[in-house]
Amino acid sequence: MKTLSKILLLAPLLFSFLMLSCSKENGDEKADCGPNYCISELQGTWDATEYVLTFCGQGTIPNPSSFDVIAEGGSATLTVQSNGRFTLNAMIMYEGQTFPETASGTIYFEDGEFFAIQFDDDEPNDPTYFGDTLSGNTFRLTSGSVVAEWDFDGDENDEEACINLTFVRT
């Protein structure tokens, strides 16, 4: 009888714990605010002053191993809405030709801590994480892993790339 009474006393506690631990759908909360700022503070238009692709893949390092979009005459503009929806429009100049690129999606802080981008053309619930800083009118993003592909050495084979972006508010 003592065992049954212990089970009856512990059952509500265990049930409460189970409900709390399963209350999130996938365990990752999409928050509007992170450790240092809120997504709404990014609302507006930003022009890139730095847009550098750097080889960060496996195998032989290509030569050259980076490409500076801005230094090569390209440009990029980031437009952010207060709800985190964004569009990045870039004009990339390469070997005398202009290549327009557009990316869109939603930015947020995963669990209120990690800056995440859910690109519209990626799998749902498969965000890409970036290092981020917002200081006055300067916003910086740095990927710590592969987020793009670029043919650094002109051999018609794209290599895996990391990206560094710096924007100033317009």
Side-chain angles (χ1 to χ4, degrees), residues 109-123:
F109 288 97
E110 187 172 287
D111 296 331
E113 187 174 351
F114 305 104
F115 188 89
I117 298 178
Q118 179 63 56
F119 291 100
D120 287 340
D121 58 354
D122 281 351
E123 294 291 322

Side-chain angles (χ1 to χ4, degrees), residues 46-144:
W46 302 78
D47 286 337
T49 58
E50 175 188 32
Y51 186 148
V52 178
L53 297 154
T54 305
F55 174 76
C56 64
Q58 301 290 319
T60 304
I61 299 172
N63 186 16
S65 61
S66 66
F67 182 77
D68 188 330
V69 171
I70 304 300
E72 295 296 324
S75 63
T77 301
L78 174 68
T79 304
V80 181
Q81 298 174 19
S82 62
N83 65 359
R85 289 291 305 160
F86 78 92
T87 302
L88 175 65
N89 290 306
M91 297 300 284
I92 299 174
M93 306 291 290
Y94 184 69
E95 295 183 351
Q97 295 183 344
T98 302
F99 299 93
E101 294 286 334
T102 299
S104 61
T106 304
I107 55 178
Y108 59 91
F109 288 97
E110 187 172 287
D111 296 331
E113 187 174 351
F114 305 104
F115 188 89
I117 298 178
Q118 179 63 56
F119 291 100
D120 287 340
D121 58 354
D122 281 351
E123 294 291 322
N125 299 315
D126 186 21
T128 303
Y129 301 97
F130 288 82
D132 64 298
T133 57
L134 175 62
S135 178
N137 288 324
T138 302
F139 177 51
R140 290 186 177 91
L141 291 175
T142 304
S143 70

